[in-house]
Amino acid sequence: MHKRGFWKTRFGFYLAAIGSACGLGNLWRFPYVVGENGGGAFVLLYLIVAVVIGLPLLIGELSLGKFTRRSVLSATSYIDGIHQHGNRFVWVGRAAVVLSLIVLSYYAVISGWVLHFTTQFLVGVFSPESFAQRGNMEVLLNNGWLQMGLASVHLLLTVGIVLKGVQEGLEKWIGYMMPVFSVLLVALVFKSLSLSNSANAFRFLFYPDFSKLTWSSLIHAVGHVCFTLSVGFGTMVTFGSYLRDADHIPTAGARVTIVDTLLSLFAVLILFPVALGASNTPLTDPGLLFEVLPRFLSQLQGGVVFGIAFFICLYLAALGASIGLLEVIVSNWVDRSKVSRSFATWITGGAAFVLGGIAAVVSAYMRGMRLEGRSFLEVMDSLLINWCLPVVALGLSLVVSLGIKTVEKEKLFVDQNKIASVALFPHWLVMIRWMAPVVIGVALLLQVVGLILTGI
Ligand code: PHE
């Protein structure tokens, strides 16, 4: 096995982990999933699932990486090796890597959308008419080749950064962007809360009306929590494998979860007051962010400049997340075979380009077609995030709970200087061993029941 890089500073780990967690999942996906599931009750469900399932799983993944000092594929086969029980867990590692590749491709397409709006805002500085004509979703959704081109630009950038290696590559980029993005987001929250619709939006988002939940809402919450925390892809196993001995995993996990959740809440606070005013955009539309925000920004005074800054930051967030995804696949590949890092990076980037390009072109051609009222993109998204991802996350909870001995887990979790970690350890064990598998299992079952009842 090649020598592993370590984070130069603890900050470096946080930048990469938060950079991977915070991305399009928070700003693009969360709002429309909340819209789809009727608002407040789902937000509450989401928050509970994040604490009870997401955080324990995140801690579990980081622990698996730190314990084995390997990426997910080697880690799972290493665990199989320790227990000498054949290939019991390695499927989890394989599934996580395949999932990462598929998600990287489709993430590249959505990142391409962000690039489109970034360039349109830039053009808008010089030519407002052009922005009015081209700065919308219709232009994009009808043009699969444009989406493919934008996705390829995004993948090239991602490949370029990952080629530079873990430390220089990851740490630098995300660090520059975070403070700027935080300021922009806070400014936007204030702006949007001053709109006349903000009381309605608040009510929609925080008043739980449980009758709005459906059979699939629980799995939607589980799937999205895993997606947004980058759990179930092996990303956090890789990041954990680079942690130094002194780093405390539960603290790291909690911080990543808090920052990520706050960002998601900011996203809905920004979007819903605007979206509820723009009556013709359905809240359930996967294009919600892109339908609503550019129009809103372009109407503000100085909005174009704001739009440029916002979309550049959003793009960098998407880039941070893509880097995490590509990094997992590459580090797994390099760990397992003799290929060079650059070869693995180029080939993976190329594969993502082919898959993402096909998805973009197919979805543009199939725009008019609907499957049970859903577009191609929605069907793919649901298949990946609401079916495959929870299954892999469940597998990972089993790898950690059954594959690593309790004493080892205790060493990874407990820091004698942090009394809370002693008290919380048994709770984490229960969550990862019982809560996570049972809740995910039940959620999948409810989704199946829902499908049967609604007659597919
Ligand atoms: N967590 C990222 C987001 O919310 C997506 C992602 C998943 C990134 C898995 C890396 C690995 O956008």
Side-chain angles (χ1 to χ4, degrees):
M1 207 174 79
H2 76 128
K3 188 171 166 296
R4 296 202 85 72
F6 282 85
W7 306 108
K8 269 199 215 118
T9 58
R10 185 166 299 161
F11 196 52
F13 163 77
Y14 280 113
L15 286 181
I18 291 177
S20 157
C22 297
L24 296 173
N26 308 70
L27 285 134
W28 160 68
R29 197 172 186 280
F30 185 61
Y32 83 80
V33 176
V34 169
E36 233 173 33
N37 288 279
F42 182 78
V43 173
L44 188 65
L45 187 63
Y46 169 83
L47 292 175
I48 296 171
V49 171
V51 175
V52 177
I53 313 284
L55 176 59
L57 279 174
L58 174 56
I59 296 174
E61 273 206 26
L62 290 170
S63 305
L64 181 62
K66 193 172 174 196
F67 175 64
T68 59
R69 292 280 174 219
R70 286 164 168 82
S71 294
V72 68
L73 199 48
S74 308
T76 43
S77 70
Y78 175 79
I79 298 279
D80 278 342
I82 305 181
H83 295 270
Q84 296 172 338
H85 44 40
N87 290 341
R88 191 152 130 206
F89 290 131
V90 76
W91 72 267
V92 179
R94 290 196 188 118
V97 177
V98 171
L99 207 57
S100 297
L101 179 64
I102 301 176
V103 169
L104 175 65
S105 351
Y106 120 107
Y107 209 83
V109 177
I110 316 293
S111 306
W113 295 2
V114 181
L115 270 180
H116 172 76
F117 284 97
T118 313
T119 51
Q120 292 311 311
F121 268 111
L122 281 169
V123 173
V125 176
F126 308 103
S127 150
E129 315 81 61
S130 152
F131 181 82
Q133 268 170 22
R134 296 189 47 84
N136 62 54
M137 276 306 272
E138 274 310 290
V139 170
L140 259 185
L141 292 182
N142 286 326
N143 192 340
W145 299 106
L146 175 63
Q147 293 184 59
M148 190 169 171
L150 291 164
S152 66
V153 173
H154 173 74
L155 284 169
L156 277 175
L157 274 169
T158 312
V159 165
I161 295 170
V162 170
L163 276 178
K164 296 189 79 185
V166 69
Q167 295 179 340
E168 299 97 284
L170 296 179
E171 290 179 23
K172 230 175 18 196
W173 288 84
I174 304 157
Y176 296 142
M177 166 277 270
M178 275 184 190
V180 183
F181 205 18
S182 316
V183 173
L184 289 179
L185 285 166
V186 172
L188 269 182
V189 170
F190 276 110
K191 192 80 215 160
S192 128
L193 288 185
S194 67
L195 293 176
S196 57
N197 263 315
S198 62
N200 282 344
F202 242 86
R203 199 182 155 73
F204 179 75
L205 288 171
F206 299 115
Y207 176 79
D209 175 357
F210 291 98
S211 67
K212 298 256 181 69
L213 294 178
T214 67
W215 290 98
S216 316
S217 292
L218 183 58
I219 200 73
H220 286 186
V222 169
H224 188 75
V225 161
C226 290
F227 181 72
T228 190
L229 292 178
S230 307
V231 156
F233 298 88
T235 311
M236 293 297 173
V237 179
T238 300
F239 287 176
S241 75
Y242 298 138
L243 276 174
R244 292 164 312 171
D245 285 337
D247 294 328
H248 188 231
I249 293 178
T251 314
R255 287 189 184 150
V256 173
T257 308
I258 290 171
V259 173
D260 186 82
T261 307
L262 280 178
L263 181 59
S264 294
L265 293 177
F266 272 22
V268 285
L269 280 177
I270 292 172
L271 226 56
F272 278 88
V274 187
L276 288 175
S279 54
N280 50 0
T281 311
L283 302 179
T284 56
D285 191 327
L288 185 65
L289 171 76
F290 300 102
E291 298 278 2
V292 167
L293 203 63
R295 212 177 319 136
F296 173 57
L297 288 175
S298 65
Q299 285 157 7
L300 294 181
Q301 216 192 358
V304 175
V305 178
F306 210 100
I308 296 173
F310 181 86
F311 275 92
I312 289 181
C313 287
L314 181 59
Y315 181 68
L316 287 177
L319 196 57
S322 308
I323 292 168
L325 281 164
L326 183 57
E327 172 69 32
V328 186
I329 306 167
V330 170
S331 70
N332 273 293
W333 196 354
V334 174
D335 269 6
R336 302 279 287 179
S337 69
K338 289 202 190 72
V339 298
S340 71
R341 196 180 159 85
S342 44
F343 179 79
T345 310
W346 279 114
I347 298 294
T348 311
F353 167 70
V354 173
L355 285 176
I358 293 175
V361 173
V362 170
S363 65
Y365 279 114
M366 290 183 33
R367 250 209 99 189
M369 286 187 222
R370 299 261 145 194
L371 219 141
E372 290 291 313
R374 295 153 139 234
S375 68
F376 176 75
L377 184 85
E378 285 168 277
V379 174
M380 246 192 71
D381 179 273
S382 166
L383 219 59
L384 284 174
I385 313 290
N386 300 333
W387 292 95
C388 303
L389 181 57
V391 172
V392 182
L394 194 152
L396 274 162
S397 75
L398 298 180
V399 175
V400 176
S401 61
L402 305 176
I404 306 178
K405 287 206 189 95
T406 307
V407 276
E408 298 291 352
K409 281 201 282 265
E410 191 168 2
K411 273 193 231 154
L412 290 159
F413 191 98
V414 173
D415 175 347
Q416 294 301 342
N417 300 320
K418 292 186 172 34
I419 302 186
S421 70
V422 182
L424 287 173
F425 177 63
H427 298 287
W428 175 62
L429 278 187
V430 173
M431 306 268 189
I432 193 107
R433 174 123 207 204
W434 300 109
M435 201 72 147
V438 170
V439 172
I440 298 177
V442 168
L444 283 166
L445 211 68
L446 289 177
Q447 177 165 244
V448 174
V449 172
L451 277 184
I452 295 171
L453 291 183
T454 51
I456 287 197

